[in-house]
């Protein structure tokens, strides 16, 4: 019966290809768009995820996500350090600055000032230079993609030693880092905390965040709650703050709606094409199914045949669609716009479940027609 089912399926090449194309298209569109959405949302929290040393982030109570900064007073650092369970705490500056290159071009950069002594918050992967690049007077370090935006057409690694200005103060590029790309595509510039404060306009409060390391055995969330209770500042574990940033963009932007519409479109189109084509395929083969019933085939055997046909179509279409999505991310992952975007295994599994539902619905709808077919249809003209 299995061989008969496969011969029936492959006998009509046009409908077979239409079935496979419908599943492959739905798979490709859903997996690609969901993966891009996941990568885009991850970018909103990359600057939190990159600071691997910190267990807790302390900030002003009004801060809602990592790119929204309300400075803390300098006294906040000492108050946080006094909380029981804190191993160490360091300041972090985060703000925007205007960089002017020697050829007169200006670029807005995201300036990050890390602790002068420990350099907590500095990048850990380097393409040119190392952590000591930040210790040089006036030294500034850019991420690779940011340096490419500032000096387009040039190899970013050749820009070590190049001078520029921020707020009429001289800075020297001393290193190029491989930092995770942020959601807001400004170049990321790293400096020591004291150097960063020299480049920014004077204001009463300057410290953006306090980064905290919990003592061994201390639960970061419990420590964050203790810091909030004793200092009045908002303290979140690194994963809570990362999710807070993701949720802000989820609820305050149209990104989820736009991607959701595209994913739903892929599902609807794939389901409609597959269901309609599979239904027509079964209708045109009713005489064959009737003949099988006439020679003694049961509804259970007919069901197994139809499900086998559906499984073959689903497996091939799913494989082609996933292969197309994987090729897409392979070819585009080297560009700045989609750097670090990839196909997570969770998307493979989730898309597989959706494709299974599409195939199941299509086959069940067709089976109802097969169950009602009269074996005598074989003998009719």
């Amino acid at each position: 019966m299995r061989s008969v089912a496969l011969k029936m399926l492959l006998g009509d090449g046009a409908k077979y290809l239409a079935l496979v194309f419908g599943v492959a298209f739905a798979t490709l569109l859903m997996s690609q768009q969901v993966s891009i959405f996941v990568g885009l949302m991850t970018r909103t929290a990359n600057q939190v995820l990159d600071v691997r040393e910190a267990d807790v982030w302390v900030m002003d109570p009004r801060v809602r996500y990592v790119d929204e900064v309300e400075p803390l007073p300098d006294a906040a650092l000492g108050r946080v350090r006094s909380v029981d369970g804190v191993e160490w705490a360091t300041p972090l500056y985060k703000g925007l600055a205007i960089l002017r290159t020697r050829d007169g071009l200006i670029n807005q950069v995201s300036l990050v000032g890390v602790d002068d002594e420990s350099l907590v918050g500095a990048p850990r992967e380097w393409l040119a230079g190392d952590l000591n690049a930040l210790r040089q007077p006036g030294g500034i370090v850019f991420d690779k993609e940011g340096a490419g935006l500032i000096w387009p057409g040039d190899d970013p690694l050749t820009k070590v030693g190049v001078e520029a200005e921020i707020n009429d103060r001289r800075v020297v590029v001393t290193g190029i880092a491989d930092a995770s790309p942020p959601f807001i595509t400004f170049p990321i510039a790293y400096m020591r905390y004291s150097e960063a404060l020299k480049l920014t306009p004077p204001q009463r409060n300057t410290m953006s965040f306090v980064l905290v390391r919990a003592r061994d055995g201390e639960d970061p969330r419990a420590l964050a709650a203790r810091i909030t209770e004793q200092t009045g500042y908002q303290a979140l574990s690194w994963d809570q703050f990362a999710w807070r940033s993701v949720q802000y963009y989820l609820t305050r932007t149209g990104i989820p709606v736009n991607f959701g519409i595209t994913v739903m479109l892929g599902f609807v189109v794939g389901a409609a094409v597959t269901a309609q084509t599979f239904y027509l395929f079964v209708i045109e083969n009713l005489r064959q199914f009737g003949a099988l019933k006439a020679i003694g085939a049961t509804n259970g055997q007919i069901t197994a045949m139809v499900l086998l046909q559906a499984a073959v179509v689903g497996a091939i279409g799913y494989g082609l669609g996933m292969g197309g999505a994987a090729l897409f991310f392979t070819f585009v992952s080297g560009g700045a716009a989609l750097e670090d975007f990839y196909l997570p295994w969770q998307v493979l599994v989730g898309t597989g479940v959706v494709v299974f539902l599409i195939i199941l619905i299509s086959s069940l709808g067709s089976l109802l027609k097969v169950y009602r077919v009269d074996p005598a249809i074989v003998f009719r003209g």
Side-chain angles (χ1 to χ4, degrees), residues 238-258:
W238 67 269
D239 55 331
Q240 288 177 317
F241 193 33
W243 273 112
R244 171 79 67 85
S245 298
V246 171
Q247 289 168 359
Y248 177 85
Y249 284 96
L250 284 174
T251 57
R252 295 302 186 98
T253 69
I255 295 174
V257 174
N258 292 332

Side-chain angles (χ1 to χ4, degrees), residues 148-346:
L149 292 174
I150 297 171
W151 294 281
D154 295 340
D155 183 358
L157 303 186
T158 64
K159 295 305 172 182
V160 174
V162 171
E163 297 183 358
E165 291 182 0
I166 296 180
N167 200 21
D168 294 327
R169 287 181 176 268
R170 171 183 170 273
V171 294
V172 181
V173 180
T174 53
I176 302 295
D178 189 14
S180 300
F183 180 79
I184 300 176
T185 55
F186 294 140
I188 307 176
Y190 296 92
M191 300 187 76
R192 284 183 291 128
Y193 186 80
S194 59
E195 294 281 353
L197 294 188
K198 293 177 184 177
L199 303 178
T200 58
Q203 51 185 348
R204 183 167 59 89
N205 297 328
T206 55
M207 187 165 47
S208 305
F209 301 99
V210 177
L211 305 180
V212 175
R213 180 76 173 186
R215 290 177 185 166
D216 291 341
E218 187 75 38
D219 179 47
R221 296 198 176 195
L223 177 59
R226 194 180 309 131
I227 291 173
T228 299
E229 181 182 357
Q230 295 185 20
T231 66
Y233 302 124
Q234 180 179 200
L236 300 170
S237 64
W238 67 269
D239 55 331
Q240 288 177 317
F241 193 33
W243 273 112
R244 171 79 67 85
S245 298
V246 171
Q247 289 168 359
Y248 177 85
Y249 284 96
L250 284 174
T251 57
R252 295 302 186 98
T253 69
I255 295 174
V257 174
N258 292 332
F259 277 92
I261 290 173
T262 305
V263 172
M264 185 58 64
L265 180 64
F267 174 80
V268 170
V269 171
V273 170
T274 304
Q276 183 179 21
T277 308
F278 203 82
Y279 182 78
L280 292 175
F281 165 78
V282 171
I283 293 298
E284 293 186 0
N285 286 279
L286 280 180
R287 293 180 68 87
Q288 286 83 346
F289 285 117
L292 291 171
K293 278 191 168 185
I295 62 176
T298 64
N299 280 339
Q301 291 174 313
I302 298 294
T303 301
M305 291 177 62
V306 174
L307 291 179
L308 175 62
Q309 293 168 340
V312 170
V313 169
I316 296 175
Y318 174 78
L320 291 174
M322 277 300 173
L327 286 175
F328 170 81
F329 287 108
T330 298
F331 286 124
V332 305
S333 60
L338 292 177
E339 184 188 11
D340 293 337
F341 280 57
Y342 64 99
L343 193 62
W345 67 266
Q346 294 91 338

